[in-house]
């Protein structure tokens, strides 16, 4: 089946630094990737949608300069949290689809803690 | 943007009990998915329903799609501690939101031995 690898699974960084999270589709070409944020005991909130080779589309209220998304190839998308602050601490999850109906595959998530 | 109202938010039951989780909207869905998520992991797809009135079974889990495709339910029979987790319904958007999955608020299920 379709597999999406997300790395790292957890990261601790100092306030003011930047952190990059990678999302790779291992056995299919991901025409579209999605990035979500999840707070404890809550649902997933969509942050942005990225299509290979084009700029990401951000949801309302998401700062595009803080959360930089790059989708340079059909198998890799990255999310960079710039100048991280403690309030950016969260669980970030990516999802990828090849465009096949109903075919969304999720990564295992990245726990970001900013200290 | 179609909103998915999921209930209940929290469910704490004893092993062997039955339970039902609901997912409702005022919008019509082209399809609906149910996911289960464990702490520290990404959501894992349980089922996709696409036809109004459809019923799908996955061992002790029964999924139903409403006739009007506006609501869905997940029923678990004889719950076990291994069923503990966050259950999420989700539906893909249309129009300008085409392809984007919208999630319900989630149901945190705890099954006590």
């Amino acid at each position: 089946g379709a597999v999406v690898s997300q790395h790292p699974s957890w990261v601790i960084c100092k306030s003011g630094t930047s952190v990059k999270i990678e999302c790779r589709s291992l056995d299919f070409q991901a025409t579209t990737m999605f990035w979500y944020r999840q707070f404890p005991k809550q649902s997933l909130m969509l942050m942005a949608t990225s299509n290979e080779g084009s700029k990401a589309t951000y949801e309302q209220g998401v700062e595009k300069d803080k959360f930089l998304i790059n989708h340079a190839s059909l198998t890799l998308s990255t999310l960079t949290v710039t100048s991280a602050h403690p309030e950016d601490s969260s669980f970030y999850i990516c999802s990828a689809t090849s465009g096949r109906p109903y075919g969304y595959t999720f990564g295992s998530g990245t726990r970001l803690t900013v200290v | 943007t179609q909103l998915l109202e999921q209930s209940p938010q929290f469910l704490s039951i004893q092993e062997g009990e039955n339970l039902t989780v609901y997912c409702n909207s005022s919008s019509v869905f082209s399809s609906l998915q149910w996911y289960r998520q464990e702490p520290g992991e990404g959501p894992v797809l349980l089922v996709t329903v696409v036809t109004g009135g459809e019923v799908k079974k996955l061992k002790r889990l029964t999924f139903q799609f409403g006739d009007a495709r506006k609501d869905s339910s997940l029923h678990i029979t004889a719950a076990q501690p291994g069923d503990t987790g966050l259950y999420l319904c989700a539906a893909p958007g249309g129009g300008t939101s085409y392809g984007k999955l919208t999630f319900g608020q989630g149901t945190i299920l705890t099954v006590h031995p």
Side-chain angles (χ1 to χ4, degrees):
Chain A
V3 178
V4 170
S5 173
Q6 188 172 339
H7 181 80
S9 55
W10 61 270
V11 58
I12 302 172
C13 71
K14 289 187 176 180
S15 189
T17 62
S18 296
V19 173
K20 181 184 284 188
I21 302 170
E22 291 189 349
C23 182
R24 293 180 184 273
S25 57
L26 298 186
D27 50 1
F28 67 100
Q29 293 187 326
T31 53
T32 306
M33 287 188 172
F34 305 91
W35 287 95
Y36 295 85
R37 185 172 181 176
Q38 186 177 33
F39 292 105
K41 299 188 187 296
Q42 292 189 24
S43 187
L44 281 69
M45 293 190 308
L46 181 64
M47 298 173 65
T49 303
S50 74
N51 294 294
E52 183 266 339
S54 60
K55 289 186 178 180
T57 304
Y58 291 80
E59 295 300 301
Q60 195 171 11
V62 178
E63 299 175 60
K64 56 183 68 177
D65 292 331
K66 164 160 280 292
F67 299 101
L68 299 179
I69 292 171
N70 183 277
H71 193 162
S73 78
L74 281 171
T75 59
L76 174 65
S77 177
T78 60
L79 166 67
T80 301
V81 183
T82 63
S83 187
H85 290 284
E87 55 266 31
D88 299 323
S89 298
S90 191
F91 193 55
Y92 293 88
I93 306 173
C94 70
S95 170
T97 178
S98 63
R100 181 174 58 89
Y102 325 125
Y104 301 90
T105 305
F106 286 82
S108 54
T110 297
R111 169 74 57 196
L112 170 64
T113 303
V114 185
V115 298
Chain B
T1 304
Q2 56 186 16
L3 297 176
L4 294 173
E5 295 189 9
Q6 196 173 334
S7 63
Q9 272 191 282
F10 301 94
L11 206 47
S12 180
I13 62 172
Q14 292 297 125
E15 183 175 2
E17 293 183 9
N18 302 331
L19 66 112
T20 302
V21 179
Y22 300 92
C23 183
N24 298 295
S25 176
S26 58
S27 304
V28 175
F29 309 134
S30 58
S31 64
L32 188 138
Q33 298 185 317
W34 285 93
Y35 291 84
R36 177 168 171 263
Q37 184 184 21
E38 298 199 39
E41 298 288 333
V44 174
L45 178 66
L46 296 174
V47 77
T48 301
V49 286
V50 298
T51 306
E54 183 175 7
V55 176
K56 282 191 173 180
K57 291 194 174 185
L58 186 66
K59 295 183 181 179
R60 292 176 294 101
L61 278 61
T62 302
F63 304 86
Q64 192 159 6
F65 203 13
D67 291 339
R69 290 186 290 132
K70 290 184 176 183
D71 58 273
S72 181
S73 64
L74 156 62
H75 183 79
I76 301 180
T77 304
Q80 298 177 1
D83 296 326
T84 294
L86 173 65
Y87 289 82
L88 297 155
C89 63
T96 56
S97 297
Y98 181 78
K100 297 181 184 179
L101 268 185
T102 298
F103 283 87
Q105 300 97 320
T107 297
I108 296 176
L109 171 64
T110 304
V111 182
H112 302 280

